[in-house]
Amino acid sequence: MEKTKIGIVGCGKISGIYFKAGKTFEILDIKACADIMPDRAKAAAEANGCQAMTVEQLLADPEIQIVVNLTIPNAHYSVAMAAVAAGKSVHNEKPLTITREEGKKLLAAAKAKGVRVGCAPDTFMGGGLQTCRKLIDDGLIGQPVAATAFMTCRGHESWHPDPEFYYKVGGGPMFDMGPYYLTALVSMMGPIKRVTGSARVTFPERTITSQPKNGTKIKVDVPTHVAGVMDFASGAVGTIITTFDVWGANLPRIEIYGTNGSLSVPDPNGFGGVVKYYPPERKVEWKEMPLTHGYAENSRGIGVADMAYALRSGRAHRASGELAYHVLDVMHAFHDASSQNKHAMLESTTQRPAALPVGLAHGQLDA
Ligand SMILES: NC(=O)c1ccc[n+]([C@@H]2O[C@H](COP(=O)([O-])OP(=O)(O)OC[C@H]3O[C@@H](n4cnc5c(N)ncnc54)[C@H](O)[C@@H]3O)[C@@H](O)[C@H]2O)c1
């Protein structure tokens, strides 16, 4: 099979799994990588058998068709716009951009150039969430009437080597982890039309305890506890909490409650996990459901492979810029609702991405 050549920009913590995707998906060929810190690009290129380039060289390479943008949130927009200006499709790590205006400009620029914009997360394409999507589409729980989504932790300064960005604009628990939960919910239940929310900064200063910056203080610029309520266009009502302020909790990750039963959805920050179903009876046990789809192991980069197939056939790609823009709009809307003391109506909407077919061969996405 002729492969699609990929250039990775940003060779930090998350890049390793994307380099691995180049080996998993037969359509992908990671030709080059670049980083604002040239030593990082050099080390990643050596470790993964590709070429180290400057960002400018990578964007000028006529063979590279998709740029995978793994920079920090604050650089997502500028790097993606440069890729689009160079005539390349681009797949960003999440969030798509920091502001709505940037997101809109990026999608418009890509449309004008005839290139694609994609965005993480692509975990909704994993075996766990695709199984849930199929069970819902098959009518197992009837009509979804409500959903809950909870991401609780005490922040990332205990393990990430450079955790400052999590507490700056574009970070915070909603922009960092919300994309997993909201993308999963939209993929299963469709777009959101109205939200409200409350958000707070609990600790104005935090101390890094990971290496090499142990002891360094971070000034917190964004809310670190965000609670929200969502009205889906379907009429279902969702509740979400994302927080960097909680030491321990007994909450589920995602549950979907239907007219004919409930579904326990695995962690949307992963690809597999346990799916459970509660039937329309009283006082019975949750039943574990077998996964109907593959890619239940860490398959980050599956969205990039899907875009490569989509570019070839002309079909829509699943982890799309439109989906990511809707998620970005929802995340902002929780914060807007909190600061403006009101519900926020969503201007954006999106289609549910197509479900993955059952029975795909490993490493392939189209038959
Ligand atoms: N670390 C994780 O577990 C994780 C998980 C999922 C998603 N993400 C997302 O992935 C992205 C990167 O996260 P990370 O943890 O790898 O961060 P990181 O800080 O470890 O790596 C980011 C890299 O991008 C480079 N960079 C920054 N600006 C650049 C620019 N303008 N041009 C070229 N290179 C530039 C940095 O030098 C650095 O090497 C973020 O958007 C984050 O939200 C991270």
Side-chain angles (χ1 to χ4, degrees):
M1 164 189 252
E2 201 194 321
K3 292 174 183 278
T4 300
K5 296 227 179 333
I6 308 293
I8 289 182
V9 179
C11 302
K13 190 95 184 146
I14 199 63
S15 63
I17 188 67
Y18 283 88
F19 282 108
K20 191 167 168 235
K23 310 236 171 346
T24 304
F25 295 99
E26 63 177 33
I27 197 166
L28 299 182
D29 174 11
I30 297 175
K31 178 176 180 185
C33 63
D35 197 292
I36 208 167
M37 296 169 77
D39 287 352
R40 287 199 180 177
K42 201 161 160 271
E46 271 166 24
N48 297 287
C50 68
Q51 298 172 40
M53 294 184 176
T54 63
V55 176
E56 293 69 30
Q57 286 167 338
L58 189 150
L59 295 183
D61 187 315
E63 281 194 340
I64 290 174
Q65 214 182 337
I66 302 177
V67 171
V68 176
N69 177 7
L70 308 181
T71 60
I72 55 171
N74 205 12
H76 286 181
Y77 174 66
S78 58
V79 170
M81 283 297 266
V84 166
K88 317 238 177 259
S89 292
V90 63
H91 179 96
N92 276 7
E93 248 305 336
K94 47 78 191 166
L96 177 65
T97 54
I98 291 185
T99 68
R100 291 179 175 110
E101 289 66 34
E102 290 168 344
K104 277 188 198 162
K105 280 189 196 161
L106 174 60
L107 296 191
K111 196 171 173 200
K113 271 275 186 186
V115 295
R116 308 273 186 122
V117 176
C119 189
D122 50 14
T123 47
F124 73 90
M125 293 171 68
L129 291 171
Q130 284 295 315
T131 297
C132 294
R133 164 78 184 259
K134 178 164 169 50
L135 294 175
I136 291 169
D137 288 359
D138 289 351
L140 181 73
I141 62 167
Q143 194 63 35
V145 294
T148 50
F150 300 113
M151 191 298 295
T152 63
C153 73
R154 192 53 178 76
H156 297 325
E157 61 273 31
S158 62
W159 65 272
H160 197 287
D162 298 306
E164 291 91 341
F165 75 82
Y166 289 112
Y167 301 100
K168 302 295 166 194
V169 174
M174 183 54 79
F175 285 89
D176 177 43
M177 296 301 287
Y180 296 105
Y181 290 76
L182 294 167
T183 307
L185 287 170
V186 171
S187 156
M188 290 184 286
M189 299 175 54
I192 294 162
K193 65 170 197 240
R194 184 181 81 148
V195 307
T196 190
S198 291
R200 59 173 285 171
V201 179
T202 304
F203 307 102
E205 187 179 86
R206 303 176 76 120
T207 306
I208 300 177
T209 56
S210 62
Q211 294 302 341
K213 295 182 174 169
N214 188 11
T216 307
K217 306 273 186 213
I218 307 174
K219 184 176 159 290
V220 175
D221 293 343
V222 290
T224 50
H225 185 97
V226 184
V229 176
M230 301 158 270
D231 297 285
F232 288 83
S234 69
V237 175
T239 307
I240 187 168
I241 292 175
T242 60
T243 181
F244 285 163
D245 298 344
V246 171
W247 286 110
N250 278 316
L251 296 163
R253 296 296 207 277
I254 295 181
E255 289 182 351
I256 298 180
Y257 313 105
T259 49
N260 220 20
S262 301
L263 200 59
S264 170
V265 177
D267 185 349
N269 186 16
F271 284 79
V274 176
V275 175
K276 288 192 207 156
Y277 163 59
Y278 191 96
E281 294 167 51
R282 289 181 204 277
K283 294 188 181 158
V284 291
E285 295 287 313
W286 287 82
K287 182 178 170 222
E288 188 171 334
M289 306 299 283
L291 298 191
T292 53
H293 287 69
Y295 300 114
E297 70 292 341
N298 189 349
S299 304
R300 273 198 167 88
I302 190 172
V304 180
D306 187 57
M307 182 191 275
Y309 280 101
L311 279 168
R312 210 159 279 191
S313 69
R315 69 164 170 81
H317 57 290
R318 292 176 171 86
S320 70
E322 287 70 25
L323 173 59
Y325 180 77
H326 184 57
V327 166
L328 180 72
D329 195 14
V330 172
M331 297 192 296
H332 275 293
F334 290 129
H335 294 82
D336 294 346
S338 179
S339 59
Q340 296 167 14
N341 302 311
K342 61 176 192 189
H343 273 94
M345 301 302 296
L346 274 298
E347 274 182 22
S348 67
T349 187
T350 188
Q351 304 262 336
R352 289 199 311 164
L356 276 176
V358 175
L360 287 171
H362 192 69
Q364 294 180 0
L365 286 172
D366 280 357

